[in-house]
Structure formats: C-alpha cells, structure tokens
Amino acid sequence: MLDLKTSFIVIVVQILCFEYCLSQFIVRPPISPLASNETPIPANYSIKYYSQLIDHFNYINNNQFRQRYVISTDHWCDGCPIFFYAGNEGDILLLARIHGFLWESAKQFRAMVVFLEHRYYGESVPFGKVDKNLTKIGYLSVDQALADFADFIQDIKTTIPGAQNSPVVVFGGSYGGMLSAAFRLKYPGLSVGAIAASAPVLGVEGLAKSCDAYSKLETKDFTEYSPNCSQTVRNSWEALFRIAGTADGRKWLTNEFKLCKELAAGEEIRIFQWLMVAWSHVAMVDYSNEANLFSELPAYPLREMCKHMTNPGADDRGLLSQVYEAANVFYNYKGLSKCNDLNPNGPVDPTAWGFQSCTDIVMPFCTNGKTDMIEPFGYDFKAYSDQCFSQYGVRPDPRKAMMLWEKQSLRRATNLIFSNGLRDPHSSNGVLDSLSDSVIALKISHGCHHEDLRPAGVNDTQELINVRNQEKQYMKQWIEEHYTTLNYFPNEWLN
Amino acid sequence: MLDLKTSFIVIVVQILCFEYCLSQFIVRPPISPLASNETPIPANYSIKYYSQLIDHFNYINNNQFRQRYVISTDHWCDGCPIFFYAGNEGDILLLARIHGFLWESAKQFRAMVVFLEHRYYGESVPFGKVDKNLTKIGYLSVDQALADFADFIQDIKTTIPGAQNSPVVVFGGSYGGMLSAAFRLKYPGLSVGAIAASAPVLGVEGLAKSCDAYSKLETKDFTEYSPNCSQTVRNSWEALFRIAGTADGRKWLTNEFKLCKELAAGEEIRIFQWLMVAWSHVAMVDYSNEANLFSELPAYPLREMCKHMTNPGADDRGLLSQVYEAANVFYNYKGLSKCNDLNPNGPVDPTAWGFQSCTDIVMPFCTNGKTDMIEPFGYDFKAYSDQCFSQYGVRPDPRKAMMLWEKQSLRRATNLIFSNGLRDPHSSNGVLDSLSDSVIALKISHGCHHEDLRPAGVNDTQELINVRNQEKQYMKQWIEEHYTTLNYFPNEWLN
C-alpha cells in the first residue's frame, strides 16, 4: 500500500494544476505551438516584449523583466475594441493558439487581439529561469500578475496611436479566468468587461466547500460513458500497488507501460501520478472536436479511452493493461512517443505553479474511492502547509484568495461573465448562478474546460454555439456602453 | 521678487497636504490629543498594536511593524456593526478625537469603533522613524495602506469573538476619504459600505482638470466674508518681498511676526509658506463650531481672521501687520505660543507625506493672482518630478492614482458615499454628482472639510444635520442588506 502522505504535495499540486502540469509529461511533440502546422494562430501576428516592473508595490527598486506578448491588428481600426487575453500558467503562444474564440470574433468586432504571457511562465521569467529561491520567485503572485495586466493595458492604450479610447474586453480560461474576474474587480476602469471561462474561483482554500468535488465530477464523466470504465479505474489502484511490490511485477510494468527507464521499487507513485493526471485532465478536455493541446487528441478522447476500459473484473495485469491503453490515448494518440518518461523534471521539481499552489492558489483536493474512482486520500492543510514551507520557505495564506474570489466580492463586480462547461470537473467550483444583473453565469451542460473560448469546430453543439453568441451579445453591449459614455463611435466599427 | 521655482516642491507638497503639514507649524500645544481635556475621545477605548506586514505583495521577507489602533466596544454586541476609520496622514489619536460622528453614531448602531493608524504616521512607522532612504520609506504607498486595512479587518473579524458576521462600515476624511473609496473598490467584500468625506479624488495628477481650482475656491471663501479680506491677502505678497529685501525690513518682520529666530536674507519663503498654509487651511476648517484640531480655533475662524484684514490699501507694513494678526488667529488663537518657529523641522525636511506627494498622491497646484489671491506661480510636472527624484530617488507615476480614482473606476463601486462641504477648497476636486445608484454624492453647501464626520455642535446648520442623517440612513441600509444576505440579525441590534 502506497504511503500517500509523503507524496501529498506532489499530488495536490500536480492534479489541480490545470493545463500546466501536462507539460511535464508531454514532451513530444515539442511544446512550441509554432512547430505545429495544423492549427496555427489564425492571423498575422507579432511576438513582442514589454519591459515590466518585477515589483509593482514598493519603491525599493525598479528592476524590470521582459514580458512576452502576442499582438495582432489584422482587423483593428482606430478606437475599435481590444481583446486582451489574461495569460495564465503556460506558454503564451500555446494559449494564443488554443483560444480560437478571440481570433474568430476579432473580425466581427474589428478588434485588436493581444495575449500577454503570465510572469514566470514561458519566456516571461524574471531572473532568467524559475528558481525556488525566494529572492527570485518571491514576486510571483496574483496581485503582481494583475498589476502586470494593468500596466500593460495602460501602456498599449497610450503608446499605440488610436488605442486611447479603445474599449478593452478581457478573456481568460481556467486560472486565467480567475485572473480575469479579479481584474474586473480590482481594475474596473481598465476594461469594459470580462469573460472568465471555467474559472474555479470558489475552489480555493477558505472558500471551497469540499475537497472531493473535482474527483466526483471527473468520475461521473467516466461513468456516463460506461460504469465499467470508471470501475476499471477504481479497481486498478490496488492492482498497481500489488504488482509494483515485486521485482517481477515492476519489470512487467516497465514493459507494459513502455517506460523509458526501468521502474525501481517505490517509484509506483510516478505511475500513480501519471494516471491521475490523465484521468483528471481528460475529463477537462473531453471536447467534441479534435484538439491539439499539448498533444493531439481525438474528438471525445474520454470516449476513446473508455473503449479500452471495459472489464473491471480482469486480473491485476489485465486491469493495468486496460488503463495503460486508455492513458496512451491521452498521452500518445498519434503514436509519436516511443517510450514514457514519468519523471522528466526530477523528483518534485519546484515549479512556478508549485509556488503558486503554495501561496495564492491553494485548491483543496481529496478523494474517497466511493463517490469517486480514485484511491482514497485525505486533505490535510497543515501537512500541506508544512510541505510548502519546507520546499519554498512560504506558507499559504488563504485570506489572499478569499479576498479576491469570495462571492461577497464577486457580486460587486460588473460586466463579468462566468462561463462553465458542466462536464468539466472544475465547474464544481465555478460560479454557476448569476450573482447580479451584471455578473452573469452561463452554463454549457455538455461542455468541457473553457470550451467556449476554443475555436469553432464541426462537432460544436448548438448549446455551445448559443453560449458563444450570448457572450458576443454581452461584449457588444459592454463596448457600446463604453462608446456611449465617451460619446465616441469609431466610424469603421459601426460599419 | 521671490524665485518660486526653486521652492516649488516645498510649496506644492506643503499646501495640499491636508491636515498633515499643520503639525509642522503648530507644535504648541503638544500634538498628543490626550493632553487636551476639552474634547477627549468620548468613550472607553484601548490603544493597541497590530503586527502588520511591511510588504504585502512579495514573498521575499515577512518583516512586520507595529501598527497602532484605537478600539472601543462600549456599545457593541455580538454580530453588531464595526465602524472602521481608514487612518490618513496623521496621529491616529488626533484623528479619533476629531471624528466625533463615528463615536456619536456608535450608540445608535451598537457599533464597535476602530481607528487604524496609517503606516508611516504617528507611532506606526516601520523601522522606527521616517527615513527618506528608499529601503526604509519604499513601502509607503496607497496599495500597501489598503492592504493594511484589509489584513487588519480580516484579523479583527476572526480574532474578536462575535465579530465574524459583523458588517464593517468604512469612514475616512480627506486623504482618508480617498482611501475609503479605493478600499470599497479594491476589497468590496470586506466592508458593506463607505463614507468618503471630502475626498479630492479627482484632484490627482492625470485626473485634475486644472491646478488652480483649490486656490480659486479658497479665495472665494475669503471674498464671501469681505472682498477687502481677500484683497488684503492679494496685496500683501509683494509687500512681503519688498520688506524682506532689506535688513531693516527683516528686523521689522522678525518683531512683527514674533519669530523665534531672526529672519535671514532669503528666508522670506518661510513666511510665505507659513501664510500660505494658514490661508489654505482656514478655508478648509472654517467650521461653524469651535474646534480643537492641531490648535484650538474659534467658530468660523476665517470670519475672525477677516476682521483683521480690512484695509487692502494700507502701506507695506500696514498690510503685513494685518495678515500677521489674521494668521495669528489661526496659529495661536489661545495665545499659548510665545514665538513662531517657521522652520521647525529644518529646511525641506523629507516627510512621509512628502514621499506620498512624490509617488501616489501628486495633486497639481497653481495660482494666478487673478481668480485667486495668491502670488502667481505655475505648475510644472517635469520640474516637480525632477525635485522628487533628487529628494527621494523616485518619480511620480500618475497612472497609479488614475487607476484608483478615475470616474470610470469609481462608478463601478457600490455602497459608497462621497460627501463634500462646498466651502472646502478640496471640494473643487471631489465627486459632486452621484456616479450611480450606489455611488452617491452628498453636498453641504455651507460645509467645510469633512465637517459631517465632526462631532455635532451647537451651531450645526440644518443642512449639515440632514446630511448626517442621510448618511445614517444609507449606513442602516447597507447593514441591513448585509444581515439579509447572511439571513442573520443580531437580536440586540434590532432592539
């Protein structure tokens, strides 16, 4: 039986890391989206760099870092809208590529499109590389990231001729959605509205009502394809621990799971984690269309995976063969990977997201094995906090996130849409009911993780199309409200 | 003729420093309000200290400072409201003493009363004393002060038994009003509403439409008592420069102005400044009742002062004798001071407010001598910025204040009252029209600087009484909205 306690931090940090932690496991094809010709950024665009303050909140120094952004003015006219994507944890080129809704709406709205990379991700890392020393990573916080957005937006509005009166619409998915919502609250004068897609704002420590909501909804997604599918996963954990307990079993696992390196005793935690990431993420990205995210996925990838998990009554090796085949759909659908490297970054590699998970964005996570299909483990904030302290020298302060995202605050925002696909496990911590006439919840019952911000696809449901249209209606309303307030209407925008 | 250019920073910083700069000139009676038995804090109260983070926005260190506060629970019951005064630039005991409205309303509202001292003022100075070295003073900013308020409010709500569900109403006058408004915007979940009294939020660099609005309204106040009064001031400046230009004249000035030290050549800037502070401040505090602020003042002190300034046609010495007598009403009404020390803190002493005036709170100020009674001098942002840089190593960044207080942001707030006395020169930069159903402007046509937050007095106008009653109506509404949302009504509060 695995001692889950010691690996607690790994599990919590890794599982609720949104898109980010996938990049640790999927290293082929290369992360750079420019290498992919299949869904490039659908516009002429430039990659630029903004000199950003490392610390916005004291006057001790004025050190700066280069913050990368993607900008396109293909459709823009003077005074016309600016679509600003609030970069979340990841490479901004990847984020620009997968959020087709902005690009596709830009023509209709005559909008400039800008994607700003989040500090400490992609190429926008102060001091060159992520270093867990506090004097280096200590400027990574939601407050600083929001101040980055504010400074940057003010800068483009003052330096790009014709942009001064442009209304800014903010977009963000996942953690980026959380940022978008907070940005509406903290800097309401710098944008006219925001779409916060699949933002689990109510899932942070201090606000989360339970820690097992995610795994429960994840399991429901599996069960809806077939009860056998989730039951196979449920039965596989003990099988994994039994087989990994013998040298012969580990040899079999090394072959069956096509591991790049032979599995050593005690390393089954890595397989556990590799599977956990696959299950938790496929539930997020079970899109109705083929998708090229970190790797390429078929339409409805979970459906494809469940085709491999049909016999929960198989013996231990039979169970693990099924889950391997299923995970392989997720990690290696195109068969590009020759072997699986379960430990690409070394043990518990300190990452930017790990630090954020130990400071601003603590998202309680637990399983019980009953209402979900995961090996049970509990959530222990104190133990987690201790792990954070030993790893980074910081402890989470839940009050920060509470101040940003508690409903009492959120309902004071204006022109803010929370959209959620209800099959996305993160929707269990989303805002699913409107908080006011101006803080609107839109739900896509068959949708997944920020599916509304993805490019339109042939299999889009009518419901998804309707929600995108509603969002465009709201955007139009916000923009027109802005022009009316200024009493200024760009001619070209009206035509 | 005085070279005003070189003393530009002094003038701008000193004149628009609200209450703060008075403390430089009025050193007798002692600033400590506890020494005054005439209007002590009208309640049982404690003075306590909160361990506050010096820097809320990075994780480099966890250094703390002791932040002082005044707290009274005389009338409070479990779950009942908390009145929180957002400390501005000054000693919190003084601020607690002069804002009688909180104390007087506390009984009716069963409210706990808390006054938190602003960082870098009074006893709440990180590193012990104000030091212009950036590594010491560099944590003085509006953002940090607002985060202080947020942390402190969260702390008292979690550590005082029965306070968890208490609605917090925020109050602030002058710069404290600016903070209160910003606090409603940035942390809307931590209070139920705020009264921002006499907050010149639209007077900051980048938002101010003119730099002479203050001196124009100040002059109007003088003229309304008597055109001779303002004309005497207007004529006195050249007289001052002429007299100070000779050794004989300076000797005369030393005697006439009861200076503690003989006036040296070139030091007339100090008399100029001393008079400027008196004129600009008496227009703020021309209250209908006697007041004990930094010094004691009669009811309508400006009326008393104008009684000394009746002959604008007098010769140079005659003019200066008149203005001295008038200034003496302001500085030394009770005759406690034996001589006037015009330079108590050394030349251009770097102060906390000086630093704030060079960073977050730049308030353009100029005069023209025509629509106002002051010797003309212009406003030159670049020169001012250069002075700031040479003094502190920082330059103002107007974008910070703009982000906080531009109307596009303010109108997104909720449950926020901007009150203004229209005789207060700062009202020229206040919000005088409601920005929404929830951002309300209240005007007191005959009122002065945050007069609504002062204790009730025998000469209060009916208009002032009405505005205070309106404020209490709004407060009641905010509080009941809070209890309704929680579905929780403290028994004792209802009774």
Side-chain angles (χ1 to χ4, degrees), chain A residues 56 59-60 134 138 186 400, chain B residues 56 59-60 134 138 186 400:
Chain A
H56 294 273
Y59 298 98
I60 310 304
L134 278 180
K186 296 280 174 185
K400 283 250 171 189
Chain B
H56 293 273
Y59 297 98
I60 310 303
L134 277 181
K186 296 280 176 184
K400 284 248 171 192

Side-chain angles (χ1 to χ4, degrees), chain A residues 308-356:
Chain A
H308 295 283
M309 299 194 286
T310 56
N311 183 10
D315 65 8
D316 285 358
R317 293 192 179 191
L319 285 166
L320 290 172
S321 294
Q322 291 179 73
V323 299
Y324 172 73
E325 290 300 328
N328 199 48
V329 169
F330 184 72
Y331 285 119
N332 194 23
Y333 178 61
K334 294 274 178 171
L336 298 175
S337 172
K338 295 298 169 227
C339 66
N340 292 305
D341 181 359
L342 300 192
N343 199 9
N345 290 324
V348 197
D349 191 44
T351 62
W353 187 254
F355 185 76
Q356 292 205 262

Side-chain angles (χ1 to χ4, degrees), chain B residues 245-411:
Chain B
T246 69
D248 186 50
R250 288 191 294 274
K251 196 167 177 189
W252 180 83
L253 280 169
T254 302
N255 287 328
E256 187 70 13
F257 278 65
K258 295 196 174 58
L259 303 186
C260 301
K261 282 192 302 189
E262 176 134 354
L263 193 70
E267 281 190 345
E268 60 270 30
I269 179 69
R270 286 284 162 189
I271 294 185
F272 177 84
Q273 187 184 12
W274 189 75
L275 294 172
M276 284 285 286
V277 168
W279 309 151
S280 60
H281 282 74
V282 75
M284 279 163 54
V285 301
D286 191 40
Y287 299 129
S288 57
N289 295 290
E290 288 186 18
N292 184 358
L293 301 169
F294 291 86
S295 65
E296 288 172 58
L297 290 175
Y300 293 119
L302 178 52
R303 183 177 61 190
E304 300 308 308
M305 287 159 74
C306 280
K307 286 177 183 168
H308 297 282
M309 299 194 287
T310 56
N311 182 10
D315 65 8
D316 286 356
R317 292 191 180 191
L319 285 166
L320 288 172
S321 295
Q322 292 179 73
V323 299
Y324 173 73
E325 291 300 329
N328 200 48
V329 170
F330 184 72
Y331 285 120
N332 194 24
Y333 179 61
K334 294 275 178 171
L336 298 175
S337 172
K338 296 297 169 226
C339 68
N340 292 305
D341 182 359
L342 301 191
N343 199 8
N345 290 324
V348 197
D349 191 44
T351 64
W353 187 255
F355 185 75
Q356 292 203 261
S357 306
C358 277
T359 49
D360 285 341
I361 316 285
V362 180
M363 309 202 90
F365 184 67
C366 66
T367 61
N368 56 46
K370 295 192 181 94
T371 60
D372 58 61
M373 63 192 183
I374 311 296
E375 183 71 6
F377 61 88
Y379 173 71
D380 177 342
F381 178 70
K382 188 179 173 307
Y384 181 61
S385 175
D386 289 344
Q387 289 272 10
C388 288
F389 190 74
S390 74
Q391 196 172 3
Y392 296 104
V394 292
R395 290 185 183 279
D397 180 0
R399 298 187 311 171
K400 284 248 171 192
M402 287 172 67
M403 280 194 274
L404 288 167
W405 295 304
E406 61 179 350
K407 278 191 186 172
Q408 287 304 314
S409 295
L410 293 178
R411 73 188 181 91

